[in-house]
Amino acid sequence: MRIDIITVLPEMIEGFFNCSIMKRAKDKGLAEVHIHNLRDYTEDKHRRVDDYPYGGFAGMVMMVQPIESCINALKSEREYDEVIFVTPDGEQFDQPMANQLSLAKNIIILCGHFKGIDYRIREHLITKEVSVGDFVLTGGELPAAVMADAIIRIIPGVISDEQSALSDSFQDNLLAAPVYTRPADYKGWKVPDVLLSGHEAKIKEWELKMSLERTQRLRPDLLEDK
């Protein structure tokens, strides 16, 4: 899979993809992440990518030309499954969406900045608008990194123990069961006896019971469709 991220602040996220699981995915050849500086595509001699909004509104707006030029340059080299704009008013990003996007071959993620982007970009160039939550950030760089991490980590082979990813929260509309490690007794805080029993069927039963209990208590909305 290949993810192209368009941003005015490439230095904000470059290091993120050179560490831990993201670096492992790149080293294994399972995922490519390419970060593009939008200022490299502007026709403005001062490398500006924003201008004042029509109508006298406050703030600055990202212009059409640099974004169209960048997207067109990428599309001239390959086909893309999605051109995603990360925005607070987009469709909520969740685990099912991450699962779906992990099956794609090529994705573009556009990071907004300033007051936002010229709406014509959203009308003519974007295929999917995605939000990571009902809040506003300075730019789309952090949401883009969050999305890329969630998508790449579930590509087969990225995580050594694939069952670990499959048992994460939200994979089955359930929160994950509690997990414990050694020592079994720390200052009187004990690991549940069932996890020490070696009885696989009972452990699976406990895991499902705890997942349902935690989901009902913390995120009952996840059970509405079950």
Side-chain angles (χ1 to χ4, degrees):
M1 133 169 281
R2 174 182 171 122
I3 299 178
D4 289 274
I5 299 176
I6 303 172
T7 170
V8 295
L9 292 172
E11 64 276 12
M12 188 173 181
I13 53 175
E14 284 172 337
F16 176 83
F17 294 102
N18 292 317
C19 302
S20 188
I21 298 297
M22 298 299 100
K23 184 177 187 301
R24 187 186 308 170
K26 292 198 295 180
D27 290 346
K28 288 182 176 181
L30 298 173
E32 298 178 45
V33 178
H34 299 267
I35 301 173
H36 306 272
N37 189 337
L38 187 61
R39 298 186 190 279
D40 293 338
Y41 295 87
T42 182
E43 296 174 355
D44 182 84
K45 65 180 180 180
H46 302 296
R47 288 168 58 84
R48 287 183 56 185
V49 296
D50 63 311
D51 208 337
Y52 294 101
Y54 286 119
F57 298 108
M60 302 293 284
V61 178
M62 294 174 70
M63 297 184 290
V64 175
Q65 179 273 310
I67 296 173
E68 185 200 26
S69 295
C70 184
I71 291 176
N72 285 346
L74 293 172
K75 284 185 172 181
S76 70
E77 298 174 353
R78 67 194 62 80
E79 293 185 0
Y80 284 89
D81 300 279
E82 297 283 4
V83 180
I84 298 170
F85 174 49
V86 285
T87 172
D89 56 357
E91 179 184 355
Q92 188 74 46
F93 184 70
D94 57 15
Q95 192 61 51
M97 187 187 296
N99 293 345
Q100 179 186 19
L101 291 173
S102 73
L103 302 176
K105 185 175 181 181
N106 300 308
I107 296 172
I108 293 173
I109 302 178
L110 171 64
C111 303
H113 213 70
F114 310 112
K115 183 64 176 177
I117 65 173
D118 188 305
Y119 200 78
R120 289 169 291 186
I121 298 165
R122 301 171 73 164
E123 292 178 312
H124 299 285
L125 301 176
I126 301 302
T127 64
K128 194 176 190 68
E129 299 184 352
V130 179
S131 168
V132 297
D134 294 339
F135 49 85
V136 179
L137 297 171
T138 305
E141 287 76 19
L142 293 178
V146 166
M147 289 178 56
D149 185 298
I151 293 166
I152 290 172
R153 70 184 300 276
I154 53 177
I155 295 174
V158 170
I159 295 178
S160 299
D161 184 356
E162 294 182 13
Q163 289 301 313
S164 176
L166 293 176
S167 62
D168 285 339
S169 290
F170 309 112
Q171 285 290 7
D172 295 310
N173 270 15
L174 293 173
L175 300 185
V179 292
Y180 302 84
T181 188
R182 290 178 287 185
D185 186 335
Y186 180 76
K187 297 182 178 180
W189 303 346
K190 297 182 179 181
V191 172
D193 290 338
V194 66
L195 298 181
L196 307 176
S197 68
H199 195 300
E200 186 175 348
K202 287 185 177 180
I203 291 172
K204 288 293 184 183
E205 182 180 346
W206 175 89
E207 182 181 27
L208 177 58
K209 178 182 177 181
M210 294 304 297
S211 288
L212 286 168
E213 186 277 326
R214 294 190 70 239
T215 306
Q216 182 65 59
R217 176 165 50 90
L218 300 172
R219 290 293 305 275
D221 57 293
L222 296 174
L223 297 173
E224 291 176 359
D225 296 329
K226 292 184 74 67

